[in-house]
């Protein structure tokens, strides 16, 4: 009898890790780099970062020497990348996603010519990856832009920023042609429940933090993404461009038809970024929402053609669990999540839901029929060093369950290109600016106040994952 089911991870599966420039590199002013919003996030114990900032708060933060700003130093990856890449290679990774920091290439954002020293750094980094047989995957903007574009142009609120972004993209696509094939124009396009400064670079005194303004900024970002996709294909037809979102799909709070319809509506809203970037048009549900709320998102007739001509090659998704919504809570979209007692949570109340991973990837493929790249998978854990060792059995369990569900998804027939674990080496947390919210298989000896030797240590999970990758996933 002919067997139709894939039993294994494909042989060309991309086993990788993902980080960002701003959570790893540090050296925030070195070699001509400009300032970006993440450089302005101070660490405050127990606090989730405040995503709103006015122009005067930006000015103050830039010159502040009293508070501690973890991204300014991070894990010093700007200097340690050769040793860190050697460790990632030893772990068995064959791919690595990081972002280029826009402000290293265009420190102000509106210059005519790029900063050669910034390009030289990424030359060395990308060459080092290639030398180690690690496929580079590059995010072009991951929660960052030169802060000058925020202050002078109001960030993504302005259409003008699309031109600056495209100039930056053209430099990258040309300079790294033949070396980088996989590009992610923006990380997690759908995070519009975040406040307007971090997600869209809009200072709060220049642009009110309203949903209408965020949807307008998002419209500009999606235009930029589609135009960048078209440009990437023109410069090198072998470029593969992602449309990337955070999985925000919903389970209904109950079996009542109202809750089921609420979950469906959430899913239609959360699909709208992909509908635009993959199918080339806004879906009816969001157009109705925009009209009924009387929003003006600055949609121009000519924009339709831009979306039709710049469609992504694959779907990128980051996964930290899904939402649960009810008839009542959907009214709070884009913030409709309610508690689900069936789903486990970590110490930061983030969800751990391996079956939801299978649900998400199947749903994405059912709908879009495009290859899917799992671009972030992980959970934050407080690690303890005991006699130079880190016995992180909870991380091993987390990955065992999730990778098993990923394998089941592949057996379901979903073409999954690869899996990038989030933060394979410990990095600064995005939401809490902590070092102690750790995701890595490699421990970095730096604490929440920035103290420590910076030494790297292999955790128990390092050896576990190494075995899993060596057997191409047979062990899960
Ligand atoms: C993702 C972001 O949403 O979540 C990352 O792309 C971030 O930048 C990751 O680090 C995990 O979040 P946190 O807040 O735990 O670092």
């Amino acid at each position: 009898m002919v067997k139709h089911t894939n039993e294994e991870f494909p042989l060309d599966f991309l086993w990788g890790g993902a980080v960002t420039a701003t959570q790893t590199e540090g050296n925030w002013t070195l070699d001509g780099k400009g300032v970006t919003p993440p450089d302005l996030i101070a660490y405050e114990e127990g606090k989730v970062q405040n995503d709103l900032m006015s122009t005067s708060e930006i000015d103050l933060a830039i010159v502040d020497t009293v508070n501690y700003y973890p991204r300014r130093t991070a894990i010093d990856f700007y200097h340690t990348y050769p040793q860190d890449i050697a460790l990632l290679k030893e772990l068995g990774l064959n791919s690595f996603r990081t972002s280029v920091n826009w402000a290293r290439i265009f420190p102000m954002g509106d210059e005519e010519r790029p900063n050669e020293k910034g390009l030289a750094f990424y030359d060395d980094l990308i060459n080092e990856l290639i030398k180690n047989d690690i496929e580079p995957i590059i995010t072009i903007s991951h929660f960052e832009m030169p802060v000058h574009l925020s202050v002078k142009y109001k960030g993504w609120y302005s259409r003008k920023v699309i031109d600056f972004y495209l100039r930056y993209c053209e430099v990258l696509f040309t300079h790294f042609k033949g070396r980088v094939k996989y590009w992610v124009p923006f990380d997690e396009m759908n995070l519009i429940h975040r406040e307007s400064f971090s997600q869209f670079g809009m200072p709060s005194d220049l642009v009110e933090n309203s949903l209408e303004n965020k949807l307008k900024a998002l419209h500009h970002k999606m235009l930029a993404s589609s135009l960048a996709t078209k440009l990437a294909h023109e410069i090198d037809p072998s470029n593969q461009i992602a449309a990337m979102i955070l999985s925000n799909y919903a389970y209904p709070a109950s079996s009542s038809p109202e809750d089921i319809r609420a979950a469906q509506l959430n899913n239609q809203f959360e699909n709208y970024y992909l509908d635009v970037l993959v199918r080339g048009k806004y879906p009816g549900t969001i157009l109705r929402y925009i009209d009924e709320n009387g929003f003006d998102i600055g949609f121009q007739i000519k924009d339709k053609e831009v979306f039709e001509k710049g469609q992504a090659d694959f779907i990128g998704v980051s996964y930290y669990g899904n939402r649960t919504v009810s008839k009542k809570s959907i009214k709070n979209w884009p913030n409709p999540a309610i508690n689900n007692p069936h789903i486990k949570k970590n110490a930061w109340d983030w969800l751990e839901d391996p079956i939801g991973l299978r649900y998400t990837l199947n749903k994405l493929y059912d709908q879009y029929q495009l290859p899917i790249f799992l671009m972030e998978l992980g959970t934050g854990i407080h690690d303890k060093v005991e006699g130079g060792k880190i016995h992180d059995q909870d991380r091993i369990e987390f990955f065992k369950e999730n990778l098993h569900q990923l394998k089941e998804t592949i057996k379901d027939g979903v073409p999954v290109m690869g899996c990038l674990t989030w933060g394979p080496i410990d990095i600064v947390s995005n939401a809490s600016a902590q070092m102690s919210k750790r995701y890595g298989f490699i421990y970095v000896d730096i604490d929440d106040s920035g103290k420590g030797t910076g030494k790297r240590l292999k955790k128990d999970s390092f050896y576990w994952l190494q075995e899993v990758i060596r057997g191409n996933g047979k062990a899960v």
Side-chain angles (χ1 to χ4, degrees):
M1 202 170 77
V2 180
K3 273 199 99 190
H4 300 286
T5 316
N6 297 328
E7 295 276 344
E8 312 278 342
F9 286 91
L11 287 176
D12 58 356
F13 193 71
L14 292 167
W15 293 99
V19 299
T20 68
T22 65
Q23 290 167 271
T24 57
E25 289 172 8
N27 302 280
W28 72 302
T29 54
L30 200 63
D31 291 337
K33 179 185 160 294
V35 178
T36 65
D39 299 320
L40 308 178
I41 300 166
Y43 170 64
E44 277 181 63
E45 199 179 335
K47 188 164 177 255
V48 171
Q49 69 177 59
N50 181 1
D51 290 325
L52 278 185
M53 260 190 148
S54 65
T55 44
S56 56
E57 285 168 329
I58 294 171
D59 289 344
L60 281 175
I62 291 175
V63 294
D64 181 11
T65 49
V66 176
N67 291 298
Y68 168 55
Y69 294 82
R71 313 286 192 99
R72 296 182 182 182
T73 44
I75 62 163
D76 193 27
F77 189 67
Y78 196 76
H79 293 114
T80 59
Y81 70 87
Q83 299 91 288
D84 291 336
I85 289 173
L87 283 167
L88 297 172
K89 166 92 178 160
E90 188 186 335
L91 178 59
L93 303 191
N94 60 15
S95 49
F96 184 67
R97 169 182 171 225
T98 188
S99 58
V100 168
N101 190 318
W102 189 345
R104 286 202 192 279
I105 309 301
F106 286 100
M108 308 286 273
D110 56 0
E111 300 92 334
E112 292 288 327
R113 303 194 59 75
N115 170 26
E116 291 302 329
K117 285 192 177 160
L119 278 174
F121 167 68
Y122 291 107
D123 265 333
D124 292 345
L125 171 63
I126 286 168
N127 290 346
E128 188 71 19
L129 289 168
I130 294 171
K131 196 173 91 191
N132 282 283
D133 297 318
I134 297 179
E135 180 81 43
I137 297 153
I138 297 297
T139 311
I140 299 172
S141 172
H142 193 127
F143 303 161
E144 116 300 85
M145 63 163 39
V147 89
H148 171 76
L149 295 183
S150 299
V151 174
K152 183 161 177 202
Y153 301 91
K154 306 182 186 169
W156 284 105
Y157 193 72
S158 156
R159 251 182 201 253
K160 186 83 191 114
V161 168
I162 300 176
D163 299 336
F164 300 133
Y165 174 81
L166 288 176
R167 187 183 296 163
Y168 163 52
C169 286
E170 187 171 3
V171 167
L172 297 187
F173 296 150
T174 313
H175 192 84
F176 296 107
K177 184 173 173 180
R179 286 186 282 168
V180 176
K181 173 173 164 193
Y182 298 102
W183 299 93
V184 184
F186 294 100
D187 183 68
E188 297 175 342
M189 201 63 141
N190 56 330
L191 278 195
I192 57 166
H193 57 276
R194 281 181 104 210
E195 308 301 353
S196 53
F197 183 58
S198 305
Q199 187 69 4
F200 297 110
M202 307 191 296
S204 54
D205 53 329
L206 302 185
V207 185
E208 192 203 335
N209 182 40
S210 67
L211 183 56
E212 180 178 17
N213 289 339
K214 289 197 275 185
L215 289 174
K216 180 170 177 172
L218 175 65
H219 180 70
H220 293 155
K221 251 175 122 170
M222 290 195 296
L223 285 169
S225 185
S226 290
L227 289 164
T229 302
K230 184 166 167 278
L231 182 66
H233 290 147
E234 283 162 7
I235 292 176
D236 185 347
S238 68
N239 274 329
Q240 292 285 301
I241 313 299
M244 194 217 168
I245 57 159
L246 166 76
S247 177
N248 266 338
Y249 289 128
Y251 300 134
S254 77
S255 55
S256 87
E258 283 102 335
D259 286 345
I260 291 172
R261 169 61 195 145
Q264 184 184 46
L265 187 60
N266 173 83
N267 297 348
Q268 287 171 321
F269 283 166
E270 291 302 325
N271 271 335
Y272 110 73
Y273 325 86
L274 292 180
D275 285 341
V276 173
L277 300 173
V278 169
R279 290 186 173 148
K281 59 176 190 191
Y282 271 61
T285 40
I286 202 75
L287 290 173
R288 176 175 176 184
Y289 181 83
I290 289 167
D291 286 351
E292 286 182 354
N293 282 285
F295 290 164
D296 175 7
I297 61 157
F299 199 121
Q300 301 178 2
I301 299 290
K302 61 177 190 211
D303 297 348
K304 281 191 170 174
E305 202 184 323
V306 171
F307 294 134
E308 280 160 19
K309 289 197 170 150
Q311 291 170 28
D313 299 294
F314 66 92
I315 292 175
V317 59
S318 55
Y319 181 74
Y320 299 92
N322 284 319
R323 294 173 166 168
T324 299
V325 305
S326 68
K327 174 194 171 193
K328 199 165 153 215
S329 77
I330 191 64
K331 299 202 173 84
N332 302 330
W333 184 83
N335 253 323
I338 58 170
N339 184 48
N340 184 333
H342 303 286
I343 297 174
K344 207 173 131 188
K345 293 188 188 125
N346 73 10
W348 288 263
D349 275 348
W350 285 40
L351 307 177
E352 294 185 0
D353 175 18
I355 292 177
L357 174 63
R358 183 172 176 189
Y359 170 82
T360 295
L361 301 184
N362 268 281
K363 178 165 173 41
L364 282 170
Y365 188 60
D366 284 350
Q367 212 150 341
Y368 296 102
Q369 299 283 302
L370 273 187
I372 296 170
F373 201 156
L374 178 54
M375 300 200 119
E376 291 180 27
L377 176 69
T379 192
I381 289 173
H382 284 291
D383 287 317
K384 265 199 235 106
V385 186
E386 294 163 306
K389 304 259 182 248
I390 298 117
H391 303 300
D392 55 339
Q393 193 56 33
D394 30 8
R395 184 170 289 109
I396 294 175
E397 292 306 322
F398 172 88
F399 277 102
K400 198 183 276 173
E401 289 173 19
N402 278 278
L403 292 178
H404 177 71
Q405 290 299 329
L406 185 59
K407 182 146 84 175
E408 291 298 311
T409 306
I410 292 169
K411 288 164 82 171
D412 293 335
V414 178
V416 183
M417 297 158 66
C419 169
L420 308 179
T421 67
W422 179 252
I425 178 165
D426 293 342
I427 61 179
V428 178
S429 152
N430 178 60
S432 64
Q434 288 171 294
M435 265 311 288
S436 58
K437 187 180 184 188
R438 296 176 185 273
Y439 287 82
F441 306 99
I442 301 161
Y443 184 88
V444 177
D445 179 29
I446 297 175
D447 69 15
D448 288 343
S449 59
K451 297 199 184 71
T453 60
K455 204 172 148 198
R456 278 52 172 162
L457 290 174
K458 295 172 211 164
K459 304 180 192 178
D460 285 0
S461 59
F462 182 98
Y463 302 102
W464 176 82
L465 186 68
Q466 196 180 41
E467 278 309 305
V468 171
I469 298 178
R470 206 172 269 153
N472 200 33
K474 271 210 172 60
V476 294

